[in-house]
Amino acid sequence: MSNSLQNSVESFGYKQELKRSISTVDLIIYGLIFMVPIAPWAIFGTVYNESKGMVPLVYTIGLIAMIFTALSYSQMSRRVPLAGSVFSYVGAGIHPNLGFFAGWLMLLDYLLVPTLLYVFAAESMIGIFPGTERWLWALVFVAINTVVNLAGVNSIKLMNRVFLVMELFFVVTFVIIAVKTLNGGTLPAAEWSTTPIWNSAEVTAPLIAAALSIAVLSFLGFDGIATMAEESTGGHRSAGRAMITSLIVVAILFIGQTWLASMLAGDTGAFPDDKAGNAFFDIVAAASSTGWAKAFLVCNVLAVGIANAMAAQAATSRLLFSMSRDGKLPAFLKQINTKQVPRNAILVVSGLSAILVIFFVGQIGLISSMVNFGALSGFLLLHLSVIWAYVIRDGSRNWLSHVVLPAIGFLIIGYVLVNSDVLAKLGGLSWLLVGIVVFIIYRKKGTGISAHESEEPARKAGR
């Protein structure tokens, strides 16, 4: 390990405990797995209906919107290369107390994301094996991911590469199927067209606003790269570069796949509600065969239930580890095993997921809304931390990077958050109230003092 990497952690008053073995390429792969290159498959029909057939436009808007948040992550990950992500960035960039609440809000996202993924995967497994129990499949996925995460970073890296190859294989297969069908005329309504990308007759301000909400939430996951910063071998700029790269790559994959799928759908108008969930797989069946459609469905289940959930579990455990190390959560969560991963934090995430999937099976909408509230609230504080740390604290005159770009990101995320589901707001505010109680308890115990309390190490590391 280089001295510069060692010092980047020790300059904040910490000891290097997590194993540094993740290259920038590994971080990019991790980000791709977290965002899932084939994510549009499961929601294609729903997004198609909401966007009047312009699904590629939705993901293009999403890329433009989220790049501002990725740039703010890049600025703060370079300044504060710690595993806590937004918790560490806001704590060191603004104030440790606000950092706690940033971390607490992101926990709502990170703790529920694995549960949401297990519920998604379990629902799909019922389609493959009718009559089986959803909760049983969910627990199987929980067990697999727990074993992989406890086995260490090298196991995660290997699994990420395997699943990325699998997903990209099916992406390429779909492209081949789609191009052959569009050129061969085997589907009468399918033809090459730019209408799915931009249909001037249908594009309106309300439609773009609605698309923005869908699109922003589709890219959640690239931020998980920041939680692996202390395990990176690529220097303090590695996490930021990986976030931006993975975001752009996955956006290109989203846009390309949905453009082809939209052309194959032809002039569908809108998918019936009972068909929207499987619209993409029905399109594959129509363009090729039922066998291929089932293979695509199996790939989707594995990508969500194992690959994506495994990445989410890893990110969540690192956030718990970081908050515990700073005395904001119980001390046992910072325990490291012989593989140099946060063993207890991983087990806690697994245990919570196993309990929550039993209660939340069939409640995808509710879990999704609460996940979104936590992520978006954390993003708002992230953008503020860039402005505060660089401009107010350091006196930076780089107005573009440190004021204009984070301000635009703040406004975009703020708009989506204000227009989010009422249940999401109520659930998020309830979670925030619980966080206030936890914060008060730990402050009274005198354990809520972290290395961030001393701003000097943070300032030195950030310069």
Side-chain angles (χ1 to χ4, degrees), residues 53-243:
M54 291 176 285
V55 185
L57 176 63
V58 169
Y59 288 112
T60 302
I61 292 172
L63 173 62
I64 295 170
M66 291 309 293
I67 200 69
F68 294 102
T69 298
L71 289 170
S72 285
Y73 263 109
S74 179
Q75 290 291 333
M76 293 308 295
S77 66
R78 182 173 61 195
R79 182 186 182 96
V80 188
L82 300 176
S85 186
V86 170
F87 162 69
S88 297
Y89 303 159
V90 177
I94 303 179
H95 193 277
N97 291 347
L98 191 59
F100 167 82
F101 288 105
W104 185 260
L105 287 167
M106 287 302 288
L107 268 180
L108 181 61
D109 169 17
Y110 282 9
L111 285 175
L112 288 179
V113 160
T115 301
L116 176 63
L117 297 173
Y118 293 134
V119 171
F120 262 127
E123 290 289 340
S124 297
M125 290 302 288
I126 298 303
I128 300 173
F129 299 101
T132 55
E133 296 291 342
R134 291 175 174 81
W135 62 267
L136 181 60
W137 287 114
L139 292 181
V140 168
F141 290 130
V142 171
I144 293 172
N145 289 323
T146 301
V147 170
V148 174
N149 271 283
L150 288 175
V153 171
N154 288 334
S155 297
I156 297 174
K157 286 162 52 179
L158 175 61
M159 293 291 282
N160 282 344
R161 290 173 184 269
V162 169
F163 279 106
L164 183 61
V165 169
M166 177 192 73
E167 291 178 48
L168 292 180
F169 168 80
F170 276 92
V171 169
V172 172
T173 300
F174 173 67
V175 170
I176 294 172
I177 290 172
V179 170
K180 287 180 64 175
T181 302
L182 290 167
N183 287 335
T186 52
L187 285 179
E191 61 181 6
W192 292 99
S193 172
T194 58
T195 302
I197 300 174
W198 183 268
N199 183 357
S200 57
E202 295 288 354
V203 172
T204 62
L207 185 142
I208 291 178
L212 179 63
S213 299
I214 298 170
V216 166
L217 303 177
S218 297
F219 287 101
L220 294 183
F222 75 91
D223 52 293
I225 291 174
T227 64
M228 311 297 282
E230 286 184 40
E231 294 158 271
S232 169
T233 61
H236 62 286
R237 295 177 182 268
S238 180
R241 289 170 176 166
M243 278 185 273

Side-chain angles (χ1 to χ4, degrees), residues 361-407:
V361 165
Q363 300 291 325
I364 291 175
L366 177 59
I367 309 175
S368 299
S369 63
M370 294 181 69
V371 164
N372 297 338
F373 184 93
L376 296 176
S377 299
F379 292 166
L380 284 180
L381 293 173
L382 165 72
H383 290 301
L384 289 178
S385 70
V386 174
I387 298 171
W388 190 276
Y390 283 97
V391 178
I392 297 178
R393 176 174 291 173
D394 289 354
S396 170
R397 292 297 177 265
N398 185 347
W399 302 114
L400 178 63
S401 297
H402 300 151
V403 177
V404 176
L405 296 180

Side-chain angles (χ1 to χ4, degrees), residues 1-2 4-6 8-9 16 18-28 77 81-83 153 157 225-242 318:
M1 183 195 312
S2 69
S4 62
L5 289 173
Q6 180 77 26
S8 68
V9 175
Q16 180 69 47
L18 300 176
K19 184 179 181 180
R20 282 202 182 273
S21 61
I22 303 179
S23 68
T24 302
V25 172
D26 288 320
L27 287 177
I28 292 170
S77 66
L82 300 176
V153 171
K157 286 162 52 179
I225 291 174
T227 64
M228 311 297 282
E230 286 184 40
E231 294 158 271
S232 169
T233 61
H236 62 286
R237 295 177 182 268
S238 180
R241 289 170 176 166
R318 269 63 175 181

Side-chain angles (χ1 to χ4, degrees), residues 29 75 136 267 333 404 411 452:
I29 293 172
Q75 290 291 333
L136 181 60
D267 189 16
L333 291 171
V404 176
L411 292 174
H452 298 325

